[in-house]
Amino acid sequence: MYFYEPVKGHGLPHDPLNAIIGPRPIGWIASLDGQGRRNLAPYSFFNCFNYRPPIIGFASSGWKDSVRNINETGEFVWNLTTRDLAVRMNETSASLPHGEDEFARAGLTPVTGRLVSAPRVAESPVNFECRLSQCIQLTAANGTALDTWLVLGEVVAVHIDESLLEDGIYQTAKAQPVLRAGGPSAYYGISEALRFDLIRPDNR
């Protein structure tokens, strides 16, 4: 077994942590600043944390535009990244000056949300409109404050392309979601051929 203590370094060509915790869904987060200027950025540390009410969240290393905007306005939109949108999603990861529009850079269409003012990506087949529930500064085990921020939002509205619903059941693989893996460039897709089913013991 390869062993290392993270505080002393991993001793490998690339930190394996995010390759082990993966593949991970992408938090493609759209927001507005206090002056109404758009921002769109992908976050690979993203997931769902509660069912009712639905709460999703992403972590940002540093107080970036998304975090600043969401704290100013209390709103954001998550957009599903699909294989067809992967290159344009990657374009929105560029470090642009504050206020410069990633929608325009990536050739994407902003559509104002139904319940929030933040825009959704029209080309994405699934969007979650969210209101900020918590913004938490992470700390190390010894209590040291880290320059990393966990943003949690309650999903207040959901948009789903009806082609992804079969008999009312959302078809995960049909959407062709893009998932982040390890290393500087690795992504994965999923397919129905890789599916398997398990029934929880208390539901048998």
Side-chain angles (χ1 to χ4, degrees):
M1 297 289 286
Y2 187 82
F3 173 83
Y4 70 94
E5 298 175 59
V7 70
K8 298 178 182 177
H10 49 75
L12 298 169
H14 193 274
D15 191 335
L17 178 69
N18 57 0
I20 296 167
I21 310 298
R24 289 160 283 125
I26 296 168
W28 202 13
I29 306 298
S31 61
L32 294 174
D33 68 12
Q35 299 177 51
R37 294 176 295 187
R38 291 186 293 262
N39 181 264
L40 180 63
Y43 291 86
S44 68
F45 286 1
F46 164 85
N47 224 302
C48 182
F49 296 96
N50 197 56
Y51 223 160
R52 295 183 183 86
I55 292 175
I56 62 172
F58 69 94
S60 171
S61 296
W63 190 263
K64 296 179 180 175
D65 284 349
S66 298
V67 182
R68 179 187 300 112
N69 292 353
I70 293 166
N71 273 272
E72 282 183 13
T73 65
E75 300 177 340
F76 65 95
V77 175
W78 171 81
N79 305 276
L80 178 69
T81 301
T82 63
R83 184 65 187 88
D84 288 346
L85 293 171
V87 172
R88 285 191 277 181
M89 175 277 296
N90 192 51
E91 279 296 305
T92 66
S93 69
S95 297
L96 302 181
H98 179 68
E100 197 163 321
D101 190 348
E102 290 84 0
F103 279 86
R105 175 187 174 90
L108 296 163
T109 309
V111 178
T112 302
R114 294 275 293 274
L115 299 185
V116 305
S117 297
R120 58 189 181 90
V121 175
E123 291 80 2
S124 175
V126 183
N127 320 98
F128 293 167
E129 299 182 26
C130 303
R131 292 198 178 108
L132 176 65
S133 58
Q134 290 174 277
C135 182
I136 303 165
Q137 184 174 17
L138 300 187
T139 64
N142 65 5
T144 300
L146 306 176
D147 188 24
T148 301
W149 306 85
L150 174 62
V151 178
L152 298 171
E154 179 179 343
V155 179
V156 296
V158 177
H159 304 257
I160 303 174
D161 187 313
E162 291 188 11
S163 68
L164 301 179
L165 299 173
E166 294 181 7
D167 299 322
I169 306 298
Y170 180 79
Q171 302 299 306
T172 302
K174 190 174 182 180
Q176 294 189 299
V178 170
L179 308 170
R180 190 69 169 96
S185 63
Y187 290 82
Y188 284 93
I190 62 173
S191 74
E192 193 64 27
L194 299 174
R195 172 179 168 169
F196 64 95
D197 291 83
L198 297 172
I199 304 299
R200 290 173 55 167
D202 55 0
N203 290 335
R204 289 176 184 162

